[in-house]
Amino acid sequence: MDHGERTPAAVSRRVLTLPNAITFLRILAIPVFVALIVDPDTTTAGLILFGVVVSTDWIDGWLARRLGQVSELGKVLDPLADRLAIAAGLIALMVRGVFPVWAGGLILLRDVVVVAAVLVLARRSVRIEVRWIGKLATFALMTSIAFIAWGTLELPLAQTALVAGWAAYAVGIVEYYVAAGIYAMDAAREIRASHAADPGEDYRVPPTPG
């Protein structure tokens, strides 16, 4: 999520804010849930912690806007924490054998392409906005990862979790790639606009799209 998405004028250079502290804690939790997931004796605990971390990704962004603590660091750190948490948890679950490699690969492939594109756009100082379809896709996929892994581990309500997980995955992966296509069109439009704009005009790059 973008700390400054709705209030760009209020962005500050502060580092020590409550939202940023929460984001740091989420990042620090990543190696913890990875270690727990890959150990067969603690996989369930790791999966629960992973679910908590990715399902609370909205809290720091909401607090930043609510408390007027939107910051440049938060705008970068928050979406970075989301991407790191999802990728790390997904890879750990695939290594553990409780999430299909092909399904995880489709998610990771799209993320690698989008991150690479953002880096290229940054060199051109091109701005693209985060789209709601990207956020919805990310939420659906985060839910599907947790549910599918839960069902594969044969934990309580395993069959229900598998059905819900694969349904969420089917919807989320389609939205994920549709969002990528929309971002590609947005980027192309902004590149054309930047060529036509005054060379001194400031085009700022937002956090990695969802």
Side-chain angles (χ1 to χ4, degrees), residues 6-124:
R6 295 185 180 179
T7 56
V11 176
S12 75
R13 297 184 180 277
R14 292 180 60 190
V15 173
L16 299 178
T17 66
L18 178 59
N20 287 349
I22 293 174
T23 304
F24 275 121
L25 288 175
R26 290 174 53 226
I27 292 175
L28 291 175
I30 293 174
V32 178
F33 68 63
V34 167
L36 291 172
I37 287 172
V38 297
D39 185 341
D41 294 329
T42 57
T43 298
T44 300
L47 179 59
I48 292 172
L49 179 57
F50 168 68
V52 170
V53 170
V54 297
S55 66
T56 56
D57 70 321
W58 58 274
I59 291 179
D60 36 11
W62 180 81
L63 281 175
R65 292 185 292 270
R66 186 76 173 179
L67 300 177
Q69 295 183 352
V70 177
S71 67
E72 292 288 353
L73 177 62
K75 290 175 65 180
V76 174
L77 203 60
D78 188 11
L80 176 62
D82 297 343
R83 287 288 167 262
L84 287 175
I86 294 172
L90 187 54
I91 292 172
L93 290 168
M94 290 191 294
V95 170
R96 177 66 176 82
V98 294
F99 194 85
V101 173
W102 67 265
L106 286 176
I107 297 173
L108 294 175
L109 174 62
R110 185 271 195 185
D111 277 350
V112 168
V113 171
V114 169
V115 169
V118 168
L119 293 177
V120 171
L121 293 175
R123 297 185 63 182
R124 293 173 172 264

